[in-house]
Amino acid sequence: MSKPISRRMHGALDYSAAPLVVAAPALIGFSEDKTPATLGYVLGSGILALTAFTRAEWGLVKSVPYKTHLAIDVVTALTSLGAPWLLGFSNNKKARNTFLAIGATLLTTGLLSEREEMPKYR
C-alpha cells in the first residue's frame, strides 16, 4: 500500500523542521527553562544531522539507510512525547505542548512515509 509522504517529501519536511525545532524555545517563549530549551537545540540539530547523513536523494553523506532513518524518527517522536514527564518540565505548558506537537508530527511523518530505499545508483 502506498503511503502519502514520499521519500523526497520526507527530506523536505525534515530540512524544514530542524530549524523550527531549534528556534522553538525562543519563538514559543521557554528559552529560560534550561532543560526543554537544551532538548530543543539537541533535537533540532539531531534531525538535521540524521537528514544530512541519510541514504536518500537529499542526504549529503548518504550513510544511514532510509528505513533506519524512519525508525529513528519514530523513536525520537516517542521520546519527545514522553520528555516533559521524563525530564521534569511537564508543568511548563509552553514547553510541554511544544514537545507534544513535535512528537506527534515526527510520529505522523515517520509512520506515513514511504519505506522504499533509494535505488543504489542515483
Side-chain angles (χ1 to χ4, degrees), residues 5-38:
I5 300 174
S6 69
R7 189 177 52 246
R8 287 179 190 257
M9 186 185 303
H10 187 101
L13 291 170
D14 277 358
Y15 278 121
S16 300
L20 290 174
V21 173
V22 169
L27 290 173
I28 297 170
F30 60 88
S31 58
E32 73 290 340
D33 194 340
K34 187 175 181 173
T35 300
T38 302

Side-chain angles (χ1 to χ4, degrees), residues 1-7 9-11 13-14 17 47 66 69-81 99-115:
M1 184 169 129
S2 182
K3 297 202 177 186
I5 300 174
S6 69
R7 189 177 52 246
M9 186 185 303
H10 187 101
L13 291 170
D14 277 358
I47 291 169
Y66 179 63
H69 174 113
L70 292 175
I72 292 170
D73 278 353
V74 171
V75 170
T76 303
L78 296 174
T79 302
S80 294
L81 290 168
F99 282 95
L100 290 176
I102 290 168
T105 302
L106 287 173
L107 187 60
T108 301
T109 51
L111 294 175
L112 293 180
S113 291
E114 283 185 19
R115 301 189 57 75

